[in-house]
Amino acid sequence: QHKPHNCHHHHPTMSTTSTTESSDQTGSLIHHGSTTTASSDDAKLLMSASSSDDLFGRAKELRVMQHGINNLFKEYERENSNDGQRLHPRNTVRTLMLISGLSGCGKSALAMHFEQQCLDRHGFFVSGKFDLQQMDEPFAGIKTALLQLCQQILSLPRVNDSRDNSDAAMLHAKAGPGPDPRLFAELQDLLLRDLSTEELQILSNFIPNILDVINVSKSPPTSSSIDIETTNKNTVKTYQDENASTSSSSFSSTKITTRGNGAIKKNQGGGYKQKSDGLKFVLKRLIQTICNYCPLIILADDIQWADQSTLDLLQSWIMDSNNSALMIIGCYRSNIVERSDHETTLPPCEEGGKATADNVKAGIHPVQRTIQLLEESKRERCFRIVRVAVEEFQEHDVAELLSSLLHASKPTSSTVATIQDHDHHAGTDSSTSSPPIDRLAHLVHQKTNGNPFFVQQYIQSLVENQVLTLDRSTMAWKWDVETIQLRSPQTVTSMDMMTARLRQSQQARFVLPVAACLGATFSKATLSSVVRALSMHSDHSQFFCKIFDMPVRTALISLSEINIQDAIRRCQRDGFIAVPHEWNAKYNLVDRRVEDETNTRRPRRRKHKNDQGLCKFTHDRIQEAALALVPQHLLSELRYRVGEVLLAALTPEQVDAKVFAIATLLNTRPDLVPTHADKIQRRRRIINLNYKAGIKAMECSAFHSALEYLQVAIRLLPQKHWSSDFQLSIDLYSAAAECAFVIPDHDLMHEYCTAIINLDCPVLYKMRAYHILMPPIPIETANWRISDHVERGFSVLDQLGCNLPKTNTGRIFKGLLGLIKLKFQASKWDESTFRDLPVSSSVEDAAVAKTLLKFSTQLYFMKPEVMPVCVVKNFRWMLKAGITPYSPPAVAGIALVMAAHLHNFQAAELLGERALEMLGKLDTKESESRTVMLIYTCVFHWMKPMEGCIAPLQFGYRSGMASGDVESAMWSLHLGCEMQFICGKPLMLVEQRSDSNSKIMKDQKEHNFERMALMRRQSVLNLQGTASTHTHHLVGDVFDETQYDIDDAANNSKSQNHSKDDVYFALATRETKAAIACFFSRYTVGADIIITDGLDHIMEVFSAQPVLYLYVFVGGLNCYASYQQQPKRRNNEHVKMAKRCRRMIKQWYKQGSPNCEHSVAILDAEEYWRRGDHDDAIQVYHKAIAICEKQSYIHFQALSNERLGMLLYGCNGGRNSIASKHCFDEAVRLYAEWGAAKKVEMLRETIRDMFGM
């Protein structure tokens, strides 16, 4: 809807003519008198002239926006080729359009001007408005926009499933321009293909009508599962389908019951950070699917009131390169966002409120900070930022507006009067014609400063107060500028004008402040219920007397006589609110059918009535003026009373739907919450309401708002709440501790957790608090040291009945002994082992398993030497008690130990398969990503081809993001990309993958993973010869290794100055340098790297990860080649390292690793070469080349040909070795096919030097 203040004449309330008074009445133009019938009719007449679709004074802004819209659509226009197939878009650039200006300047109307154009061009245009009164509601505007998006999708025409595409194309050709009836089915197919059932379940909790989109004619896909299909050779297991079925949402808590009589209630909740991350990821996936289908424009209106989680979400959408055609239009008030000091003038009713406090504390408005971040990223992320500054009208704009409006009113059958201007009525006496427009325009501009909204309100007040009058005898408008100047106040604000207009209507005076408390949009039924409850209750009526300064009896009569329907109609007529019948049908653009072949008419728009009875303030300044009718010191109490009435009057389902709005209203005056014993239930309802609001906010990542709700609830708890409201207190303190952990406020987190831990109650009630204190990387504060974390963890396990040694020495010994026992027991395992384990239904067993799992991860960073005792204990506990939701990752952890430390690959493979089977049996998503990541990055590649592990890791990434396990998702992305490089995938593909990964990791603020992705990308760019002039030095446009203390971190892993993340990153960087040094024939550099790092240290850090293959292989090859390259300085240390790497590779191959066969052959050939057995070396190198070709390792095939060429060249001792030249030429061809252009260039230079060609 176009706002009236924007002077867009499409809306009947958008009269924008300014007038002056021609009568001799006295008094101010702004008064509290009533409006006569004549003036009301005149106002209607003037508004009825508002029929133009032009936006006055906005030609420049419209051109800029039109250019942006055209750029969005030009590569994405929906066209049909001759064969009836839709042409898909390409090379579309995302755009962020920022429309700034003062309140009332027409920002929203400017954006909405393009809505119909977007729909006509077969794109989607959705809008969401943020409300100052509901700032604490996370994703409020986003949710509104996505609900509209689903409604627009449902409005698309569709064909009968029995009719094929050719029939549909023929019908569409007959019908002419209009939506293609195949589009709905095509979009539905995309949604079903791209979104799993788990992701759709998450979406349906946020936007329920997404299920209407996918369930119209098709069943949803089955959810991601890990069912395994055995090949004929029974050596490779792959995912059958990423979309197999599930019966539970990833958001649902694990349902486990107590072992005993059920005396202990399950401690619900937890993991809300993971849930919120999952929601954001699924929303991102939805936007990607829509944008790859057609252009999408999202209008975020009044984003100065948006919460930080919404800004982060919009930022991630516009930065996502997978969104092919996306435009986000953000409208904001420049005086609020762009003021650096943030001493901005908020509406009078909100001064001193939350927004001001937050802005002062931040120093810069969140919107401005977000814009700055986007400005810094736009070149890297390839999106545009277009700024449109909407200024107030100049005087000539006001004159054009008035002239157009007055000229537009001409006699018709539906109007009884005509607006005339003396310049357009020849033969009319000048005494009966209208005065000139120029002086009137000058006066209006002077009074309103050209603010369009103020202009409209000023004109409206002049008409209502009979200052601008219609002379019905001459059918001309009359005014007198001198009279207006004499009687108008010297200074008047739009708020004064609006307040005065509202006070003129008694019904608006009583009803609109209540409506304003409900928000910018409200329903008639809710408003009616609240007003009726306020009028019937004597206490509320007395409060109204104080608000409007009238006797009690008068207030009661006034309230009882109010008819809500009449009041709404009156407010609508006066232009204060809109009751748009088209809202519910606004996006139901066409019938959901296609006409028969005999009827080729274009699908028609349908009109629907507003079933929900929704109303909306026509402008937020009117809402603010309505609140300004209430004295400032009574406004918070009014809001509290409205919230109290809503809580009592609405059903539980309705309360849940409005939980943020009601909680915010009640929290304005928590001191009014009843404390008397007879009203304690009302107090508990308010406490529970804030708890629900806090939980919902946590699920949307609004942890600051969530903590505020939860802290209000905690403060409202009775003094002895640990005895009277024990479970509620546990839930509140646990949730508040989790919020404090995320924010982060670690001292507050410890305060809430300690309050729970110190309770004299069973330990199961304390488990959520204990688990909050067990993050993967332990937190050190003034009150908590590393040793405190260790001892607390073992103390918790002891309380749970999981007894472990009391000393570190005993723990280390028991852990090693447990591993040795497992190694011997593994020889007895077979296909039936662990398959018949029961599923445990005990809450105690689940608590033990989860605690051991979390504590093991924490010990890895605190005391890795103690970690095995917890890993083994978790496995033993599962064998004794049965499977719990935390068993799959525990079994995967044991499989990792088997592969990395005990080198029993067969047992590791068996455990990995059992872990995947457990996931299917438990039907749990919580630990799915971690289990898949551990198995496919640390277990299966020892016994299966590495290439088959890449696709499951992509599934692991999606599963982790959907369930909120971001760390496992990032590991899946990182190691999946490393596997692509190791397997010899085209460098262009690896470069694109690493680039995409780095952006995802940056958006997730996973900076350690981001720098590893950038490092891998730079190595590829070095090989390609782009963005860098270096070879083995990782320095270029993307990454610069000199910015990091890599050498020191890699060689001082136990130093307190470097974290484990820094050590891993340093070694990963040096491994990458060694690899590209090998490809660039800088063998000595690569050999020195592995000798400096030490093989034992490398194996300790990389554990069983696939990068260990590459490091050991290229390390051995570098050492052998360095020995051959420098015969006069042959280094025995190089030979020792080369032999050790060769022995390790051969040991892995003998144990069954299929990924080492080519490496063994290459290193054997190098060993024969070193010994001088050239014939054997040549024969084995030919074997290595054949193996590489068979396994599609094109880069190692090229490297083998290059090394064989060098060997043949040296053996023949001449420049004319045909065999040597052939090997070099083959190496050039393979390197070129791989994409290593820089290596190709260098190798050709070498060939010219060697062979003189």
Side-chain angles (χ1 to χ4, degrees):
Q1 286 285 36
H2 290 277
K3 292 183 179 179
H5 67 283
N6 297 305
C7 310
H8 185 20
H9 303 314
H10 183 69
H11 193 285
T13 65
M14 301 179 72
S15 171
T16 54
T17 57
S18 299
T19 63
T20 53
E21 185 177 22
S22 60
S23 66
D24 293 333
Q25 71 178 48
T26 59
S28 173
L29 295 179
I30 303 176
H31 63 88
H32 297 259
S34 61
T35 304
T36 66
T37 303
S39 64
S40 178
D41 291 340
D42 290 349
K44 288 182 180 179
L45 177 63
L46 195 59
M47 288 188 293
S48 69
S50 304
S51 59
S52 172
D53 287 335
D54 294 330
L55 291 175
F56 291 100
R58 300 293 179 237
K60 179 182 177 181
E61 292 85 349
L62 288 172
R63 282 196 301 270
V64 172
M65 294 186 67
Q66 185 65 65
H67 180 70
I69 298 288
N70 290 339
N71 284 335
L72 182 71
F73 277 90
K74 69 179 181 180
E75 295 288 348
Y76 219 99
E77 294 288 357
R78 294 194 180 282
E79 297 177 359
N80 289 324
S81 60
N82 294 332
D83 59 357
Q85 296 297 318
R86 183 167 66 86
L87 298 179
H88 290 276
R90 56 194 182 276
N91 302 327
T92 307
V93 180
R94 289 153 286 131
T95 303
L96 172 65
M97 188 168 291
L98 299 171
I99 305 179
S100 61
L102 299 176
S103 175
C105 280
K107 303 179 294 294
S108 303
L110 195 62
M112 294 299 294
H113 180 77
F114 295 94
E115 177 189 25
Q116 191 58 50
Q117 180 186 144
C118 176
L119 298 176
D120 290 341
R121 297 171 78 168
H122 304 156
F124 291 130
F125 187 108
V126 295
S127 62
K129 183 177 175 63
F130 297 92
D131 189 352
L132 174 62
Q133 306 303 316
Q134 298 173 354
M135 287 181 61
D136 290 331
E137 181 174 354
F139 296 165
I142 296 295
K143 184 173 184 178
T144 301
L146 294 180
L147 288 171
Q148 291 181 10
L149 177 61
C150 291
Q151 197 63 39
Q152 287 192 24
I153 296 173
L154 288 170
S155 74
L156 290 173
R158 61 201 70 167
V159 295
N160 192 321
D161 289 341
S162 63
R163 182 178 296 166
D164 61 24
N165 281 340
S166 60
D167 292 338
M170 184 181 302
L171 176 61
H172 180 58
K174 292 180 181 179
D180 190 334
R182 293 165 295 172
L183 301 185
F184 177 81
E186 184 178 348
L187 180 54
Q188 190 183 57
D189 288 339
L190 285 174
L191 291 171
L192 291 172
R193 184 196 69 186
D194 292 349
L195 300 175
S196 67
T197 294
E198 179 192 5
E199 292 169 341
L200 289 170
Q201 182 88 30
I202 297 172
L203 277 177
S204 67
N205 294 334
F206 186 68
I207 42 175
N209 58 353
I210 188 68
L211 295 180
D212 296 332
V213 174
I214 64 168
N215 285 336
V216 172
S217 61
K218 300 187 180 181
S219 300
T222 54
S223 79
S224 303
S225 110
I226 46 175
D227 295 336
I228 300 176
E229 176 185 17
T230 306
T231 63
N232 294 332
K233 294 183 179 180
N234 199 24
T235 56
V236 181
K237 297 188 188 228
T238 58
Y239 276 68
Q240 291 181 344
D241 192 359
E242 289 188 8
N243 298 322
S245 93
T246 185
S247 58
S248 63
S249 165
S250 66
F251 279 10
S252 58
S253 301
T254 305
K255 295 180 174 61
I256 46 179
T257 57
T258 58
R259 177 182 295 151
N261 297 323
I264 299 178
K265 177 182 176 182
K266 179 175 74 73
N267 190 10
Q268 298 177 353
Y272 291 104
K273 176 64 167 65
Q274 288 75 18
K275 295 178 183 180
S276 66
D277 289 339
L279 174 61
K280 290 188 290 186
F281 171 73
V282 173
L283 290 175
K284 188 175 182 179
R285 293 276 300 162
L286 173 65
I287 297 300
Q288 288 175 356
T289 301
I290 299 297
C291 289
N292 289 328
Y293 169 77
C294 71
L296 172 63
I297 299 179
I298 301 175
L299 169 59
D301 198 6
D302 280 338
I303 55 174
Q304 73 274 0
W305 310 133
D307 57 292
Q308 186 61 53
S309 57
T310 296
L311 297 177
D312 292 341
L313 188 64
L314 293 174
Q315 177 182 339
S316 69
W317 289 355
I318 201 66
M319 293 176 68
D320 185 2
S321 58
N322 292 317
N323 294 330
S324 301
L326 173 66
M327 174 181 285
I328 296 179
I329 303 177
C331 299
Y332 63 86
R333 296 187 187 179
S334 56
N335 61 318
I336 293 179
V337 171
E338 297 173 0
R339 287 283 296 275
S340 59
D341 57 358
H342 280 283
E343 294 177 357
T344 182
T345 304
L346 289 176
C349 54
E350 294 296 331
E351 289 180 0
K354 179 179 182 296
T356 304
D358 287 350
N359 292 338
V360 172
K361 181 178 180 180
I364 181 173
H365 196 281
V367 173
Q368 186 74 347
R369 183 166 55 248
T370 302
I371 293 173
Q372 291 176 358
L373 292 173
L374 290 171
E375 287 282 3
E376 296 169 1
S377 306
K378 66 180 181 181
R379 183 179 297 274
E380 174 190 355
R381 296 300 184 93
C382 300
F383 62 89
R384 298 189 185 101
I385 296 181
V386 178
R387 293 179 179 268
V388 180
V390 183
E391 304 292 342
E392 294 178 315
F393 280 167
Q394 298 296 320
E395 186 173 325
H396 64 84
D397 296 321
V398 177
E400 181 185 359
L401 171 66
L402 293 175
S403 178
S404 176
L405 181 61
L406 294 177
H407 292 172
S409 197
K410 296 185 179 181
T412 65
S413 58
S414 60
T415 57
V416 297
T418 300
I419 303 173
Q420 300 178 353
D421 185 90
H422 70 286
D423 294 329
H424 297 278
H425 292 274
T428 302
D429 185 73
S430 61
S431 62
T432 63
S433 62
S434 300
I437 291 292
D438 294 344
R439 294 189 61 198
L440 176 61
H442 176 77
L443 174 65
V444 171
H445 184 268
Q446 183 182 51
K447 294 295 184 183
T448 63
N449 289 324
N451 184 280
F453 174 73
F454 196 2
V455 168
Q456 181 253 333
Q457 294 301 318
Y458 189 72
I459 296 171
Q460 190 76 7
S461 68
L462 294 177
V463 176
E464 291 177 352
N465 292 284
Q466 302 181 38
V467 179
L468 175 64
T469 60
L470 179 65
D471 186 344
R472 297 182 181 272
S473 63
T474 61
M475 305 309 295
W477 289 96
K478 296 293 185 179
W479 63 86
D480 183 74
V481 174
E482 285 75 13
T483 303
I484 294 178
Q485 290 176 330
L486 180 64
R487 297 181 180 178
S488 296
Q490 291 301 314
T491 58
V492 59
T493 66
S494 59
M495 185 64 68
D496 295 335
M497 182 75 69
M498 281 307 310
T499 305
R501 289 193 60 210
L502 293 178
R503 287 197 177 100
Q504 293 178 14
S505 170
Q506 180 174 332
Q507 291 181 327
R509 181 183 178 188
F510 284 109
V511 172
L512 289 186
V514 176
C517 292
L518 298 177
T521 302
F522 53 91
S523 72
K524 297 178 184 178
T526 302
L527 179 60
S528 180
S529 299
V530 173
V531 173
R532 188 180 304 110
L534 292 174
S535 64
M536 294 176 63
H537 198 287
S538 60
D539 182 42
H540 294 316
S541 300
Q542 292 176 5
F543 173 69
F544 264 88
C545 297
K546 292 192 293 184
I547 290 179
F548 299 109
D549 192 20
M550 61 176 60
V552 177
R553 182 175 179 80
T554 305
L556 286 173
I557 295 174
S558 300
L559 289 171
S560 62
E561 291 179 349
I562 290 179
N563 184 301
I564 298 298
Q565 298 298 330
D566 291 342
I568 289 176
R569 281 193 291 269
R570 173 62 186 271
C571 294
Q572 181 186 8
R573 185 192 68 185
D574 292 338
F576 302 141
I577 64 173
V579 187
H581 296 289
E582 66 274 18
W583 276 2
N584 285 24
K586 183 175 185 180
Y587 302 105
N588 290 326
L589 301 182
V590 293
D591 288 323
R592 298 180 185 176
R593 61 185 174 84
V594 175
E595 303 289 347
D596 295 335
E597 286 83 347
T598 57
N599 184 358
T600 59
R601 290 181 301 169
R602 179 176 175 176
R604 297 168 298 178
R605 292 175 178 270
R606 295 178 297 165
K607 293 186 177 180
H608 300 261
K609 61 181 180 180
N610 187 1
D611 297 328
Q612 298 179 4
L614 293 179
C615 303
K616 175 184 178 181
F617 284 96
T618 53
H619 195 274
D620 47 12
R621 297 295 285 176
I622 298 177
Q623 182 185 7
E624 294 162 9
L627 292 173
L629 292 174
V630 182
Q632 185 66 31
H633 66 285
L634 297 176
L635 179 58
S636 59
E637 185 173 351
L638 171 63
R639 300 184 69 194
Y640 172 82
R641 288 177 181 272
V642 171
E644 195 175 38
V645 169
L646 287 174
L647 184 61
L650 300 180
T651 64
E653 293 77 12
Q654 291 172 325
V655 171
D656 287 344
K658 300 178 179 295
V659 63
F660 293 113
I662 300 174
T664 301
L665 289 170
L666 290 169
N667 292 346
T668 54
R669 286 293 299 273
D671 57 299
L672 295 178
V673 178
T675 57
H676 302 296
D678 59 335
K679 297 182 179 180
I680 194 64
Q681 290 304 319
R682 287 171 57 190
R683 187 180 186 89
R684 281 200 176 97
R685 284 198 70 185
I686 296 176
I687 294 172
N688 277 289
L689 182 76
N690 275 281
Y691 175 64
K692 290 180 181 179
I695 295 302
K696 289 188 71 172
M698 291 172 72
E699 292 176 352
C700 296
S701 295
F703 290 97
H704 285 87
S705 297
L707 184 59
E708 291 182 9
Y709 288 121
L710 295 169
Q711 286 181 315
V712 170
I714 290 173
R715 288 193 293 267
L716 292 176
L717 287 169
Q719 187 173 2
K720 299 181 179 180
H721 59 90
W722 290 116
S723 58
S724 62
D725 300 274
F726 177 76
Q727 188 61 51
L728 178 60
S729 301
I730 288 284
D731 293 340
L732 280 170
Y733 275 71
S734 299
E738 189 171 342
C739 286
F741 167 74
V742 176
I743 286 175
D745 187 340
H746 295 148
D747 291 331
L748 185 61
M749 175 194 72
H750 281 293
E751 177 185 337
Y752 286 128
C753 288
T754 303
I756 298 173
I757 292 171
N758 291 338
L759 293 174
D760 184 15
C761 66
V763 68
L764 288 178
Y765 287 112
K766 307 176 185 180
M767 292 315 302
R768 186 175 171 193
Y770 277 127
H771 292 157
I772 292 172
L773 293 173
M774 290 182 182
I777 300 178
I779 300 169
E780 286 193 86
T781 65
N783 300 321
W784 290 90
R785 300 181 300 275
I786 291 294
S787 58
D788 297 326
H789 286 282
V790 174
E791 294 308 316
R792 181 185 59 239
F794 284 109
S795 173
V796 174
L797 292 170
D798 188 58
Q799 295 178 59
L800 288 169
C802 181
N803 300 317
L804 293 170
K806 304 297 182 183
T807 64
N808 282 337
T809 303
R811 294 162 184 162
I812 294 171
F813 177 77
K814 187 173 180 67
L816 294 176
L817 183 62
L819 292 177
I820 294 173
K821 288 182 179 180
L822 280 178
K823 183 174 183 178
F824 285 103
Q825 291 173 355
S827 61
K828 302 177 181 179
W829 294 347
D830 55 28
E831 289 296 323
S832 62
T833 307
F834 312 128
R835 278 197 166 157
D836 298 326
L837 289 176
V839 177
S840 174
S841 59
S842 167
V843 69
E844 291 95 335
D845 292 336
V848 171
K850 184 175 182 179
T851 304
L852 284 168
L853 185 64
K854 293 179 72 68
F855 192 41
S856 299
T857 305
Q858 199 176 51
L859 284 174
Y860 172 76
F861 292 95
M862 297 187 300
K863 287 187 174 295
E865 65 275 11
V866 181
M867 183 185 69
V869 70
C870 289
V871 174
V872 175
K873 186 67 175 181
N874 201 356
F875 185 69
R876 298 290 185 191
W877 192 275
M878 180 197 69
L879 297 179
K880 179 183 72 172
I883 301 172
T884 70
Y886 310 100
S887 296
V891 175
I894 288 293
L896 186 156
V897 172
M898 282 288 178
H901 302 291
L902 304 182
H903 306 295
N904 189 336
F905 297 156
Q906 290 81 5
E909 181 187 18
L910 177 66
L911 289 171
E913 292 171 354
R914 294 297 172 271
L916 294 179
E917 291 174 1
M918 289 177 188
L919 283 177
K921 182 184 291 188
L922 292 168
D923 196 20
T924 178
K925 301 296 180 184
E926 183 176 355
S927 57
E928 184 177 64
S929 179
R930 182 174 182 178
T931 305
V932 171
M933 181 271 295
L934 288 174
I935 290 171
Y936 281 95
T937 61
C938 301
V939 179
F940 276 179
H941 66 84
W942 292 105
M943 296 297 293
K944 304 175 187 297
M946 190 181 297
E947 187 172 2
C949 298
I950 298 175
L953 286 178
Q954 187 64 20
F955 163 80
Y957 158 70
R958 284 188 57 179
S959 175
M961 295 303 296
S963 63
D965 188 357
V966 177
E967 183 183 19
S968 297
M970 295 300 103
W971 275 115
S972 295
L973 276 185
H974 166 62
L975 293 175
C977 185
E978 293 299 301
M979 286 183 179
Q980 284 187 321
F981 182 83
I982 295 171
C983 291
K985 298 300 179 183
L987 287 178
M988 182 177 67
L989 178 63
V990 178
E991 191 272 332
Q992 291 173 349
R993 178 79 177 267
S994 57
D995 182 30
S996 174
N997 287 354
S998 67
K999 293 173 181 177
I1000 293 172
M1001 293 160 178
K1002 183 176 183 179
D1003 292 341
Q1004 294 297 323
K1005 297 180 174 58
E1006 294 287 345
H1007 301 302
N1008 185 57
F1009 288 103
E1010 180 195 359
R1011 60 182 179 176
M1012 287 192 291
L1014 293 173
M1015 175 264 294
R1016 169 53 67 199
R1017 186 182 177 207
Q1018 185 61 59
S1019 70
V1020 173
L1021 294 175
N1022 282 16
L1023 289 166
Q1024 292 175 326
T1026 58
S1028 177
T1029 58
H1030 298 273
T1031 54
H1032 63 281
H1033 292 297
L1034 297 176
V1035 178
D1037 296 344
V1038 173
F1039 180 82
D1040 186 354
E1041 63 174 297
T1042 61
Q1043 295 181 356
Y1044 305 96
D1045 192 7
I1046 291 174
D1047 294 339
D1048 185 52
N1051 299 313
N1052 296 278
S1053 62
K1054 295 185 179 180
S1055 173
Q1056 296 296 324
N1057 297 327
H1058 300 286
S1059 67
K1060 285 186 175 292
D1061 284 343
D1062 290 337
V1063 173
Y1064 184 93
F1065 167 69
L1067 273 182
T1069 304
R1070 290 173 65 80
E1071 170 265 326
T1072 303
K1073 288 186 64 176
I1076 61 173
C1078 183
F1079 286 116
F1080 280 118
S1081 303
R1082 303 292 191 267
Y1083 302 117
T1084 303
V1085 174
D1088 291 341
I1089 289 176
I1090 192 170
I1091 290 173
T1092 303
D1093 293 343
L1095 202 54
D1096 293 333
H1097 181 40
I1098 293 169
M1099 294 184 65
E1100 176 188 351
V1101 174
F1102 288 139
S1103 189
Q1105 292 180 359
V1107 292
L1108 186 61
Y1109 279 129
L1110 185 62
Y1111 205 169
V1112 174
F1113 167 62
V1114 299
L1117 182 57
N1118 278 325
C1119 289
Y1120 274 123
S1122 176
Y1123 181 84
Q1124 298 292 342
Q1125 203 174 45
Q1126 302 182 29
K1128 295 182 179 180
R1129 297 178 53 199
R1130 288 181 172 172
N1131 193 331
N1132 290 332
E1133 193 173 13
H1134 285 186
V1135 176
K1136 291 179 181 179
M1137 178 60 71
K1139 289 182 176 180
R1140 189 178 177 190
C1141 291
R1142 176 169 167 263
R1143 285 195 301 270
M1144 186 172 293
I1145 293 283
K1146 295 189 76 170
Q1147 179 185 1
W1148 293 339
Y1149 178 62
K1150 288 178 181 179
Q1151 290 179 341
S1153 175
N1155 301 299
C1156 296
E1157 186 179 5
H1158 67 285
S1159 304
V1160 171
I1162 293 174
L1163 295 182
D1164 281 349
E1166 290 287 337
E1167 175 63 19
Y1168 284 126
W1169 188 357
R1170 185 192 69 81
R1171 295 175 185 174
D1173 298 336
H1174 293 167
D1175 291 340
D1176 289 339
I1178 293 171
Q1179 182 180 357
V1180 175
Y1181 249 125
H1182 280 297
K1183 177 183 175 182
I1185 291 171
I1187 294 172
C1188 290
E1189 183 177 11
K1190 178 182 177 181
Q1191 296 181 337
S1192 300
Y1193 288 153
I1194 190 173
H1195 52 333
F1196 294 139
Q1197 184 182 354
L1199 184 60
S1200 298
N1201 273 283
E1202 181 184 1
R1203 293 295 298 161
L1204 179 57
M1206 292 296 298
L1207 174 59
L1208 292 171
Y1209 183 83
C1211 291
N1212 292 333
R1215 298 173 179 270
N1216 299 317
S1217 172
I1218 298 175
S1220 175
K1221 177 65 166 54
H1222 173 75
C1223 289
F1224 279 116
D1225 289 342
E1226 183 67 8
V1228 168
R1229 182 187 70 81
L1230 292 169
Y1231 278 129
E1233 185 177 343
W1234 186 37
K1238 182 71 171 179
K1239 172 63 180 177
V1240 170
E1241 178 186 345
M1242 295 178 63
L1243 189 55
R1244 283 173 174 165
E1245 291 181 2
T1246 301
I1247 294 172
R1248 283 194 293 270
D1249 293 340
M1250 294 174 63
F1251 298 98
M1253 299 180 180

